[in-house]
């Protein structure tokens, strides 16, 4: 299904500092103006109609009911699309849709309307702009959750700032003219302080000003107006799986907007910082998504050395400013990460580095990070302790034999072990405890922390260092192994899938294979939907026949097909349904949809996983397209072939029909015009010409009809028990006029059983074969029909004494329109034998021709004798008579 | 052709060329002709004109041919000959079972149609209690249940005899498989056409000089059997 390319509608945003500044009123006014100009305007959503009742009554702007019959709540996209207005008024762009709606956010609804070419007027508060989200939170101490991405706001064709003074706004609040549904009275008072309002107004003004500035720049650039151009800036933000990274992203975004610069968000995956718990993975995913939503180019790299990689990237991409975060919360981590920041600064070489001091603002809806140790963590530490204990006991035995240095070395074992299997914490713990145990149990004085020889302190230090370095190495190694393993799994999975689907030769098999492989990889049920001829979605392959597929799921699938974007579970669109839908996109169209139902519905996918799933989807789309192309090629081949056939048919028919018609018309017109001139004998001769020609045409028409029936698959066999002798008799009778000049010999066995065939079709076969034999054999020659019964077949031969058929022609005589070269003029369409072949094969038999080199041909066909003849119940009288 | 003199024939066919051709040919053979273009008109003409024979095209634009047969049969036993095209065996059988007397397949020769018409008209005129039926070399003595071929007596089983008798009583007319099976074996056997195949084969071996080229019992492919007159 190809997406129709429509011109995108125009988006106008009425931007205000806060509720109550009169955005909605301004929007309605503007809408009404348009209406007066004769434009078809419709209100799709209005949030607080109370204060505007009078206005609405006066202006009479039509509105569209929503799905539930209640007015002005969620945006009824499909209602609007059906109504096809020119301009739609949508209040409150940042609205968060109720669960169960098509999209999570209203701006996504609006986007869909824009895609349909509908113009939109909408309202927005500055606090709901994504990149300003944390600033607003700092100013107002109130974090909003309904946010609109900057990218979307920037796509607006026009932003109109609606501004009133803070005093006026506060007065409106006091008068109760402003209604904010989600706020209590206290909250309203707290929020609408003059300071807050002015700060928000400033933000709104600045936001609009920046935009105007940018537009001016673009205008000047596009009109080649000379000006002081700022050097083109490029910003790079570095993120990690930390909730604090969102601040880094937003800051980078604001800088990019201010500098009118491109910006890149990079995540460097290292073996050390490999996110291995779910919280980290989810946080990272949401950070990267935020960056994408804010319009950044997101780059994902893998390297050992974060700082170095960032600097390389900065040079490669001509970055002028780098934004990194430096968390303040954890001193140890800080020390560790600090080294990255320091290294970046060291290597920056002229690139400005902005360091954002970390400050985790608790988001209302953000998940709490697990700070305390979990049960399994305790077990790891306990395990480490036990290991050290065991080594200590072994060392007790070894002590008399070995040097202390060997004893110390043995303590590295638990460090290595815990580093490899349990991670950083337990391994450092192991080194510390190891040193302690070594000191207490082996370094004199034994069983005391004190050390006689102070040189041992140096040994402890070195041991500790060696332990930490080896453990670091071990962890890095095991993480690298983990990454390699994951990548390996992914490559292997992709490779396995591609190998499997290459081996399949039909679309259904390919789809079922894809479903099986994806299901195995992602632990879920998988199915593939494809549009059928009527553009209805049909399940074409599935791992489980019982997939819940209700109207909601269908709506989501249709949406994916129409928009070519992922939707469903754990996405922003249709997230309240059970399944996840991925478009199967080829270069130009969406060939189908891959549906996944995870066995564990709560899990969200890591970026690694979703990449893999996408790769699967792409591979599947490729395979489907390959299959479709192959089918098309086949079709084209078939068409050329049938084209050739048609040409042959037309040539043949026009000749074969016109020749007898010519003699009929010629003879008849002679008789009509000058009938009295002809003698009785002449008249008779003319009339028999007419008769013969008409008979010939009749046979031709019969053959053409038979052929058409065979070709169209309309030939239905009427199976009945028949006597072959009778069929031969009927065929001979039909051809008796032509057989007069031939010697017909019939050789039938005595015990001929009844056979189950279609009487008239088999008669047709015999007529065609006999007709053929008559046409190609000399007068008075012998034509022989013989029947032999074999174990599983009955075999019928028709033998003539004609010129025979050359080897090359023997197979082709059964082809349509194939005519043998013949010295005498032999009439015919070249259809007769191919009809015979069609009929005999429909009976499960076969037909072939043998030739006796210049001495006739023998056509043979067989019919299966797979059913024993039916029983005949004779009456007693009958039996007696038969016995007698 | 004495019996056909002045016989009244109603032709019901929507093809004007066919009607014209039939009218000229049949009038020349001494028949009195009335034409009808539609089934309804045909039924009206049937009531007014009192034909001795009806020639009916099975594919009419208004009523279908079977409907015309049914309505005619409600009040008249007039012989009906069906005109149909090839490959419509089921329609032929249906029409015959509905009460039509015979059929010709388009395109047909005039001789064929005239022969069928003669048989249909003679059948009406025939006296039921004719004791001996003669068809060329074949003689059937109904009173003595005796069958002779070229003056040689042929021994037939009771079933063979019954079949031959049925065909002989309707000589020249086609009897469908179903009509024969019902009369000879009863209604339970009406679809067991293999019974007929076996017995017709036996009869031919006893009666025909060359069973592959039968002279007496003729197969009408897909429809039934006819005893040649």
């Amino acid at each position: 299904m190809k997406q129709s390319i429509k011109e995108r509608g125009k988006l106008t945003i009425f931007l205000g500092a806060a509720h109550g500044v009169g955005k909605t009123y301004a929007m309605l006014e503007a809408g009404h103006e348009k209406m007066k100009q004769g434009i078809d305007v419709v209100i799709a959503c209005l949030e607080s109609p109370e204060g505007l009742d009078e206005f609405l009554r006066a202006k009479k702007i039509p509105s569209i009911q929503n799905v539930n019959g209640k007015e002005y709540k969620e945006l009824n996209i499909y209602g609007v699309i059906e109504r096809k207005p020119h301009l739609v008024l949508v209040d409150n762009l940042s609205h968060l849709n109720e669960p169960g709606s098509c999209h999570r956010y209203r701006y996504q609804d609006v986007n869909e309307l824009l895609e349909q070419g509908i113009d939109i007027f909408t309202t927005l508060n500055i606090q709901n702009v994504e990149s300003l989200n944390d600033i607003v939170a700092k100013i107002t101490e109130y974090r909003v959750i309904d946010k609109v991405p900057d990218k979307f706001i920037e796509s607006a064709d026009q932003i109109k700032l609606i501004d009133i003074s803070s005093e006026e706004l506060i007065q409106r609040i006091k008068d109760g003219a402003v209604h904010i549904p989600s706020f209590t009275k206290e909250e309203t008072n707290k929020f609408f302080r003059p300071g807050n309002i002015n700060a928000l107004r400033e933000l709104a003004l600045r936001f609009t000003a920046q935009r105007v500035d940018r537009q001016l720049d673009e205008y000047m650039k596009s009109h080649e107006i000379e000006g002081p151009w700022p050097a083109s800036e490029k910003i790079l933000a570095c993120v990690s799986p930390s909730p604090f990274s969102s601040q880094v992203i937003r800051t980078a975004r604001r800088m990019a907007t201010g500098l009118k610069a491109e910006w890149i968000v990079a995540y460097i995956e290292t073996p050390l910082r490999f996110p291995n718990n779910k919280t980290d993975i989810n946080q990272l995913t949401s950070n990267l998504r935020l960056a994408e939503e804010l319009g950044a180019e997101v780059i994902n790299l893998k390297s050992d050395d974060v700082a170095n990689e960032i600097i390389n990237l900065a040079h490669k991409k001509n970055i002028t400013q780098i934004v990194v975060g430096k968390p303040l919360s954890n001193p140890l981590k800080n020390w560790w990460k600090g080294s990255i920041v320091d290294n970046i600064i060291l290597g920056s070489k002229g690139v400005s580095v902005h360091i954002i001091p970390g400050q985790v603002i608790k988001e209302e809806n953000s998940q709490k990070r697990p700070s305390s140790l979990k049960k399994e963590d305790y077990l790891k530490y306990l395990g480490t302790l036990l290991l050290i204990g065991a080594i200590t006991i072994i060392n007790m035995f070894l002590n008399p034999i070995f040097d202390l240095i060997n004893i110390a070395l043995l303590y590295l074992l638990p460090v290595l072990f815990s580093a490899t299997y349990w991670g950083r914490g337990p391994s450092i713990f192991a080194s510390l405890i190891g040193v302690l145990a070594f000191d207490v149990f082996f370094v004199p004085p034994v069983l005391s922390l004190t050390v006689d020889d102070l040189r041992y302190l140096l040994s402890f230090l070195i041991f500790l260092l060696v332990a930490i370095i080896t453990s670091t190495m071990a962890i890095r190694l095991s993480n690298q192994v983990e990454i390699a393993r994951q990548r390996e799994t992914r490559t292997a999975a992709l490779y396995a899938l591609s190998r499997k689907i290459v081996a399949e030769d039909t679309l259904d098999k390919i789809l079922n294979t894809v479903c099986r492989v994806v299901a195995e990889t992602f632990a879920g049920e998988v199915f593939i939907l494809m549009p059928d001829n009527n553009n209805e979605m049909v399940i074409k392959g599935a791992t489980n026949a019982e997939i819940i597929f209700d109207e909601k799921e269908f709506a989501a699938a249709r949406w994916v097909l129409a928009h070519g974007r992922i939707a469903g579970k754990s996405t922003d669109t249709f997230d309240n349904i059970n399944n996840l839908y991925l478009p199967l996109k080829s270069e130009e169209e969406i060939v189908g949809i891959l549906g996944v139902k995870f066995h564990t519905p709560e899990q969200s996918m890591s970026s690694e996983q979703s990449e893999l799933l996408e790769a699967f989807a792409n591979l599947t789309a490729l395979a489907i397209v390959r299959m479709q192309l192959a089918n098309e090629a086949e079709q084209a081949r078939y068409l050329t072939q049938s084209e050739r056939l048609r040409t042959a048919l037309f040539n043949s028919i026009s000749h074969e029909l016109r020749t007898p018609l010519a003699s009929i018309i010629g003879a008849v017109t002679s008789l009509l015009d000058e009938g009295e001139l002809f003698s009785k004998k002449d008249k008779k001769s003319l009339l028999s010409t007419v008769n013969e020609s008409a008979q010939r045409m009749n046979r031709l028409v019969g053959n053409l009809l038979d052929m058409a029936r065979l070709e169209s698959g309309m030939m239905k066999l009427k199976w009945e028990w028949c006597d072959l002798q009778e069929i031969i008799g009927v065929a001979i009778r039909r051809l008796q006029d032509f057989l007069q000049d031939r010697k017909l010999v019939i050789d039938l066995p005595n015990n001929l059983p009844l056979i189950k065939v279609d009487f008239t079709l088999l008669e047709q076969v015999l007529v065609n074969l006999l007709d053929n034999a008559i046409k190609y054999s000399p007068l008075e020659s012998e034509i022989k029909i013989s029947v032999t019964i074999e174990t599983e077949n009955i075999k019928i031969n028709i033998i003539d004494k004609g010129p025979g058929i050359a080897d090359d022609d023997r197979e082709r005589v059964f082809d349509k329109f194939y005519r043998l070269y013949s010295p005498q003029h032999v009439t015919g369409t070249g259809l007769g034998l191919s009809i015979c072949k069609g009929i005999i094969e429909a009976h499960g038999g076969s037909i072939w021709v043998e030739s006796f080199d210049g001495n006739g041909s023998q056509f043979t066909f067989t019919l299966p004798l797979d059913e024993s003849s039916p029983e005949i119940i004779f009456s007693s009288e009958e039996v007696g008579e038969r016995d007698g | 052709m004495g019996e056909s003199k002045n016989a009244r024939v109603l032709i019901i066919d929507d093809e004007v060329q066919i009607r014209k051709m039939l009218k000229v040919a049949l009038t020349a053979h001494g028949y009195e002709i009335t034409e009808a273009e539609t089934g309804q008109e045909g039924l009206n003409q049937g009531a007014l004109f009192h034909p001795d024979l009806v020639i009916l095209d099975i594919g009419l634009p208004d009523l279908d041919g079977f409907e015309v047969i049914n309505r005619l049969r409600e009040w008249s036993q007039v012989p009906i000959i069906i005109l149909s095209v090839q490959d419509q065996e089921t329609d032929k059988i249906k029409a015959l079972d509905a009460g039509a007397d015979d059929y010709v397949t388009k395109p047909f020769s005039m001789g064929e149609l005239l022969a069928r018409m003669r048989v249909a008209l003679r059948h009406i005129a025939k006296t039921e209690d004719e004791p001996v039926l003669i068809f060329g070399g074949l003689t059937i003595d109904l009173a003595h249940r005796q069958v002779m071929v070229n003056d040689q007596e042929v021994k037939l089983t009771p079933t063979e005899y019954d079949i031959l008798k049925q065909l002989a009583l309707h000589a020249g007319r086609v009897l469908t498989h179903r009509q024969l099976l019902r009369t000879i074996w009863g209604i339970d056997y009406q679809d067991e056409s293999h019974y007929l195949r076996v017995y017709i084969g036996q009869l031919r071996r006893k009666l025909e000089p060359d069973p592959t080229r039968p002279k007496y019992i003729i197969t009408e492919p897909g429809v039934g059997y006819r005893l040649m007159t």
Side-chain angles (χ1 to χ4, degrees):
Chain A
M1 196 168 114
K2 277 178 188 142
Q3 269 175 275
S4 57
I5 298 152
K6 280 187 186 148
E7 203 174 320
R8 199 178 154 85
K10 295 218 178 323
L11 174 66
T12 306
I13 298 176
F14 293 80
L15 182 73
H19 288 283
V21 296
K23 302 177 301 292
T24 307
Y25 184 82
M27 175 182 77
L28 292 171
E29 273 285 4
H32 185 243
E33 277 304 306
K34 291 275 179 193
M35 204 171 87
K36 278 201 286 189
Q37 292 166 22
I39 287 168
D40 184 13
V41 182
V42 155
I43 298 173
C45 279
L46 208 52
E47 296 223 317
S48 49
E50 293 95 346
L52 297 161
D53 272 354
E54 214 166 298
F55 176 83
L56 283 173
R57 264 198 299 280
K59 304 293 187 191
K60 293 201 178 81
I61 307 178
S63 76
I64 286 188
Q65 303 278 101
N66 78 340
V67 204
N68 307 322
K70 286 184 287 173
E71 242 177 312
Y72 314 134
K73 211 159 171 216
E74 303 300 358
L75 179 53
N76 176 7
I77 313 174
Y78 299 105
V80 174
I81 291 173
E82 211 168 293
R83 167 78 170 67
K84 281 188 194 146
H86 191 271
L87 172 66
V88 174
L89 311 186
V90 181
D91 202 11
N92 195 6
L93 183 63
S94 64
H95 177 77
L96 199 61
N97 284 339
E98 275 181 6
S101 313
C102 167
H103 297 289
R104 191 183 289 174
Y105 301 105
R106 181 168 289 166
Y107 75 83
Q108 291 171 314
D109 295 342
V110 167
N111 190 38
E112 203 158 332
L113 292 182
L114 289 168
E115 277 174 5
Q116 293 293 321
I118 297 169
D119 290 352
I120 303 282
F121 280 5
T122 185
T123 64
L124 178 71
N125 285 327
I126 193 70
Q127 62 186 8
N128 300 110
V129 176
E130 172 86 64
S131 68
L132 300 174
N133 189 259
D134 51 346
I135 296 190
V136 173
K138 263 184 228 157
I139 297 169
T140 61
E141 294 167 24
Y142 178 79
R143 184 173 281 272
V144 290
I145 45 168
D146 39 349
K147 295 170 274 192
V148 181
D150 297 54
K151 211 163 134 189
F152 185 76
I153 301 171
E154 266 171 29
S155 76
D157 299 85
Q158 221 180 348
I159 294 183
K160 289 192 174 167
L161 181 69
I162 311 299
D163 190 38
I164 55 171
S165 70
S166 52
E167 292 79 14
E168 209 177 325
L169 180 57
I170 290 168
Q171 192 55 47
R172 280 192 190 177
I173 304 280
K174 276 185 187 149
D175 294 349
V178 180
H179 170 71
I180 305 156
S182 57
F183 274 24
T184 61
K185 203 161 172 9
E186 288 79 50
E187 277 177 325
T188 311
N189 289 337
K190 194 179 155 202
F191 187 84
F192 289 95
R193 286 171 301 181
N196 270 359
I197 295 168
N198 280 331
L200 290 172
R201 282 180 63 206
E202 194 193 335
L203 273 178
L205 286 165
R206 267 219 312 250
F207 186 84
T208 322
Q210 265 173 5
R211 192 185 144 87
V212 172
D213 193 26
R214 204 163 46 242
Q215 281 169 345
L216 179 68
D217 280 354
E218 272 160 21
Y219 177 82
M220 287 170 80
K221 264 187 202 162
S222 64
H223 290 74
E224 293 176 7
I225 299 167
E226 291 285 324
W229 299 119
S232 74
E233 296 277 352
K234 223 167 178 187
I235 294 159
L236 172 67
C238 312
V239 300
S240 70
S242 144
F244 159 66
S245 284
S246 62
Q247 249 169 287
V248 175
I249 294 167
R250 289 204 178 91
T251 308
R253 155 77 204 189
R254 279 197 300 276
M255 285 171 61
T257 320
L259 294 167
K260 302 168 203 88
E262 275 180 61
W263 65 300
I264 296 170
V265 167
Y267 166 63
I268 316 289
E269 191 178 301
T270 66
L272 266 179
R273 302 200 309 159
F274 183 72
N276 48 10
N277 65 57
K278 275 213 178 100
T279 332
D280 277 358
I281 291 167
N282 286 347
Q283 187 60 53
L284 180 66
T285 315
S286 86
N287 286 347
L288 295 182
R289 196 182 293 163
L290 173 72
E292 256 170 19
E293 278 169 10
L294 288 177
E297 179 189 347
V298 176
I299 293 178
N300 219 331
L301 293 169
K302 293 185 169 84
S303 167
D304 273 346
D305 187 342
V306 178
N308 197 29
E309 194 62 33
I310 285 174
I311 288 159
N312 281 344
L313 182 66
H315 289 307
K316 210 159 63 192
K317 294 265 174 188
N318 296 323
I319 299 292
T320 54
Q321 319 231 9
I322 297 176
V323 185
V324 285
K326 185 166 175 154
L328 301 173
S329 48
N330 184 342
L332 196 74
K333 220 173 175 179
N334 192 19
W335 167 78
W336 180 251
K337 285 214 173 161
S339 71
I340 293 177
V341 173
D342 292 344
N343 287 340
I344 291 174
I345 294 169
L346 279 176
S348 60
K349 281 187 218 150
V351 180
S352 324
V353 180
H354 302 255
I355 300 161
I356 312 297
Q359 182 183 16
V360 180
I361 300 173
K362 287 216 165 59
E363 292 205 25
E364 282 151 54
N365 55 352
S366 81
Q367 283 165 303
K368 215 175 166 225
R369 275 172 68 76
S371 51
S372 54
L373 293 172
K374 280 191 256 155
K375 199 179 161 196
E376 63 228 54
D377 289 336
Y378 284 120
L379 284 177
K380 287 176 188 169
Y381 287 99
L382 192 68
T384 312
L385 210 57
L386 287 175
L387 274 176
I388 300 280
I391 291 292
T392 308
I393 290 163
I394 293 167
N395 279 345
M396 295 275 194
F397 289 106
L398 298 176
N399 193 17
I401 315 163
F402 287 122
D403 284 345
L404 275 185
I405 186 75
N406 296 350
I407 303 280
L409 276 177
L410 272 179
Y411 275 109
L412 282 178
L413 283 177
V415 175
L416 275 177
F417 185 86
S418 50
T420 314
Y421 293 101
W422 296 329
R424 174 169 302 279
S427 75
I428 290 173
F429 180 69
S431 358
L432 290 171
I433 298 294
V435 169
L436 211 63
F438 180 54
D439 176 17
V440 172
F441 294 106
F442 301 102
V443 176
V446 179
L447 292 182
S448 128
L449 275 174
T450 50
V451 180
D452 283 349
D453 192 339
L454 280 177
R455 275 177 307 176
Y456 276 115
L457 284 180
L458 188 66
S459 309
F460 292 164
L461 202 65
I462 289 169
F463 176 84
L464 214 54
L465 264 175
V466 170
I468 287 170
I469 288 167
T470 36
S471 80
T472 308
M473 301 294 272
I475 288 165
R476 188 175 297 191
L477 199 68
S478 81
N479 281 341
Q480 257 163 355
V481 167
E482 177 63 15
I483 291 178
R485 196 188 57 76
Q486 280 201 6
R487 210 163 297 163
E488 162 78 27
T489 323
R490 187 190 142 151
T491 320
L494 272 179
Y495 177 65
L497 180 64
S498 72
R499 207 184 41 204
K500 275 180 193 157
I501 57 186
V502 161
E504 302 297 4
D505 52 353
T506 68
L507 188 58
D508 285 349
K509 280 191 203 159
I510 289 182
L511 298 183
N512 281 322
T513 310
V514 168
C515 288
R516 218 175 43 245
V517 173
V518 176
E520 277 163 18
T521 320
F522 287 92
E525 301 297 346
V526 179
F527 52 96
I528 288 171
L529 296 164
M530 281 176 75
D532 66 3
N533 295 336
N534 306 323
N535 251 331
E536 291 287 324
M537 303 289 281
V538 198
I539 295 184
K540 291 287 238 181
T543 45
N544 187 345
E546 293 157 25
I547 284 160
I548 309 157
F549 213 68
D550 55 16
E551 199 33 56
K552 268 192 203 162
E553 303 281 343
F554 251 121
R558 272 196 296 268
W559 189 88
V560 172
L561 188 70
H563 294 78
R565 291 198 288 270
I566 187 168
K569 188 101 213 146
S570 74
T571 66
D572 277 354
T573 309
F574 292 106
D575 66 338
N576 59 317
I577 57 172
N578 291 321
N579 308 335
L580 178 67
Y581 295 97
L582 281 100
L584 300 176
K585 264 192 279 193
S586 78
E587 266 171 42
E588 50 203 34
E589 58 183 330
I590 298 154
V591 293
I593 289 166
L594 180 73
V596 185
K597 181 177 190 291
F598 295 108
H599 283 152
T600 45
E602 299 317 319
Q603 85 183 48
S604 86
M605 283 194 301
S606 68
S607 62
E608 193 88 21
Q609 271 183 311
S610 54
E611 266 173 38
L612 179 57
L613 194 54
E614 239 167 76
F616 275 151
N618 290 339
L619 201 59
T620 311
L622 273 179
I624 293 174
V625 170
R626 174 175 65 91
M627 223 50 228
Q628 285 175 343
L629 286 178
N631 284 346
E632 273 166 32
E634 177 74 14
Q635 202 94 37
R637 211 166 52 88
Y638 179 78
L639 276 179
T640 5
Q641 206 177 21
S642 70
E643 185 63 35
R644 258 207 312 276
L645 274 180
R646 244 200 317 273
T647 318
L649 179 72
F650 277 126
N651 291 341
S652 171
I653 290 176
S654 65
H655 177 256
E656 289 300 318
L657 279 176
R658 286 215 172 100
T659 314
L661 268 178
S663 25
I664 292 173
I665 292 172
V668 168
T669 45
S670 317
L671 285 171
L672 275 177
D673 297 345
E674 300 133 274
E676 61 280 2
L677 290 181
F678 296 104
S679 69
K680 211 169 177 185
K681 199 179 146 207
D682 291 342
K683 275 185 193 165
K684 186 149 184 155
S685 150
L686 281 175
L687 286 170
S688 37
T689 310
V690 172
N691 184 31
E692 275 161 28
S693 305
Q695 299 286 0
R696 185 171 146 196
M697 273 181 73
N698 186 34
R699 274 206 305 281
L700 170 70
V701 171
N703 268 344
L704 284 172
L705 287 174
D706 281 344
M707 198 69 229
R709 247 184 298 237
L710 267 177
E711 295 272 283
S712 64
M714 267 167 56
M715 185 164 288
K716 285 208 182 68
L717 268 61
K718 193 177 159 230
W719 297 95
E720 54 181 346
W721 289 104
C722 299
D723 182 355
L724 186 58
Q725 186 175 22
E726 192 176 5
I727 303 178
I728 294 173
V730 170
I732 294 170
R733 196 180 155 79
R734 251 175 76 182
L735 290 169
Q736 57 193 357
D737 291 351
F738 305 92
L739 280 167
Q740 276 168 1
D741 307 331
R742 302 288 186 284
K743 263 196 286 212
L744 182 64
V745 179
I746 301 163
D747 179 14
L748 297 177
N750 283 326
N751 54 342
L752 203 59
L754 291 186
I755 49 174
K756 203 162 194 182
V757 292
D758 183 308
F759 191 109
T760 42
L761 289 181
L762 206 63
E763 175 203 331
Q764 188 63 45
V765 170
L766 282 165
V767 166
N768 285 356
L769 289 176
L770 283 171
D771 188 43
N772 206 60
I774 295 166
K775 276 196 293 203
Y776 287 95
S777 64
L779 288 175
E780 303 304 332
S781 66
E782 185 189 271
I783 293 174
K784 184 176 176 185
I785 304 171
S786 72
V787 177
T788 37
I789 300 163
E790 299 177 334
T791 42
E792 285 172 356
N793 292 314
I794 191 160
K795 194 159 94 181
I796 298 103
N797 296 309
I798 285 120
I799 306 157
D800 65 55
K801 298 273 187 243
I805 300 166
D807 289 1
D808 296 350
D809 291 328
R810 279 186 210 147
E811 251 316 296
R812 297 174 61 197
V813 290
F814 295 103
D815 289 352
K816 257 180 290 181
F817 306 117
Y818 189 77
R819 298 279 312 277
L820 283 182
Y821 170 76
S822 166
Q824 338 69 322
H825 178 66
V826 178
T827 62
T829 48
L831 284 173
L833 289 178
S834 98
I835 291 170
C836 290
K837 190 175 156 104
I839 293 173
I840 292 300
E841 283 175 356
H843 278 87
S846 51
I847 183 166
W848 67 90
V849 61
E850 289 154 276
S851 200
F852 312 107
D853 210 18
N855 194 18
S857 337
Q858 168 173 309
F859 281 88
T860 307
F861 67 90
T862 61
L863 293 165
L865 279 176
D866 45 5
E867 248 177 289
S868 53
S869 297
E871 231 179 290
I872 305 268
I873 305 158
F874 296 102
S875 65
S876 54
E877 206 181 340
E878 208 79 6
V879 175
E881 176 119 0
R882 286 167 71 85
D883 289 346
Chain B
M1 271 184 226
E3 73 266 40
S4 73
K5 280 282 175 269
N6 300 322
R8 297 149 72 86
V9 178
L10 168 60
I11 301 167
I12 311 175
D13 195 317
D14 57 317
E15 288 285 339
V16 64
Q17 292 297 343
I18 298 273
R19 285 205 310 272
K20 191 173 157 191
M21 182 271 285
L22 285 177
K23 186 172 182 175
V24 171
L26 294 180
T27 311
H29 281 89
Y31 291 97
E32 195 179 324
I33 305 296
T34 298
E35 298 170 38
E37 200 180 339
T38 64
Q40 195 55 55
E41 198 191 328
L43 288 171
N44 295 343
Q45 292 281 12
L48 292 172
F49 178 68
H50 286 289
D52 297 318
L53 182 96
V54 175
I55 296 174
L56 169 68
D57 185 5
I58 209 79
L60 289 172
D62 57 338
L63 296 170
D64 76 22
F66 312 113
E67 185 63 28
V68 177
I69 297 169
N70 285 333
R71 297 227 203 139
L72 271 174
R73 279 285 169 265
E74 280 171 17
W75 56 272
S76 166
Q77 284 305 311
V78 60
I80 303 172
I81 293 178
I82 298 299
L83 301 182
S84 83
V85 291
Q86 216 177 354
D87 310 316
Q88 280 186 340
E89 271 68 34
T90 21
D91 284 357
K92 291 173 194 163
I93 294 168
K94 208 171 144 192
L96 291 169
D97 285 345
D101 291 73
D102 215 327
Y103 70 90
V104 273
T105 304
K106 286 185 198 168
F108 50 85
S109 73
M110 197 47 72
E112 201 182 341
L113 176 65
L114 286 169
R116 296 273 186 282
M117 285 171 68
R118 275 199 297 274
V119 168
L121 286 167
R122 188 171 58 213
H123 191 56
I124 282 288
K126 198 185 71 168
T127 47
E128 272 297 327
D129 45 12
E130 222 172 314
V132 180
L133 304 171
I134 303 169
F135 309 96
L138 175 68
T139 312
I140 305 164
D141 184 343
L142 296 176
H144 301 96
R145 295 177 69 94
Q146 202 180 36
V147 179
M148 313 266 278
V149 176
N150 300 329
D151 300 328
Q152 291 277 308
E153 190 179 343
V154 179
K155 275 266 179 209
L156 295 184
T157 68
T159 311
E160 287 164 8
Y161 178 78
D162 285 347
I163 295 171
L164 185 61
K165 186 180 152 189
Q166 278 304 317
L167 289 170
L169 284 177
H170 301 90
R173 268 183 64 189
V174 66
L175 290 180
T176 65
H177 295 144
R178 196 173 275 213
Q179 283 168 343
L180 280 167
L181 285 161
R182 263 199 236 178
T183 326
I184 316 289
W185 282 277
I187 198 149
D188 292 345
Y189 287 82
Q190 62 175 0
D191 294 319
E192 309 286 322
S193 60
H194 57 275
Y195 274 76
L196 262 186
R197 304 278 184 215
V198 168
Y199 279 96
I200 293 285
Q202 288 176 13
L203 260 177
R204 277 179 179 152
R205 278 192 286 279
K206 289 183 182 177
L207 304 178
E208 305 280 2
D210 178 359
T212 315
R213 303 172 190 220
K215 272 165 60 187
Y216 304 118
I217 302 171
I218 301 301
T219 307
E220 292 293 346
V223 179
Y225 295 98
R226 182 196 303 275
L227 193 71
M228 278 306 258
T229 52

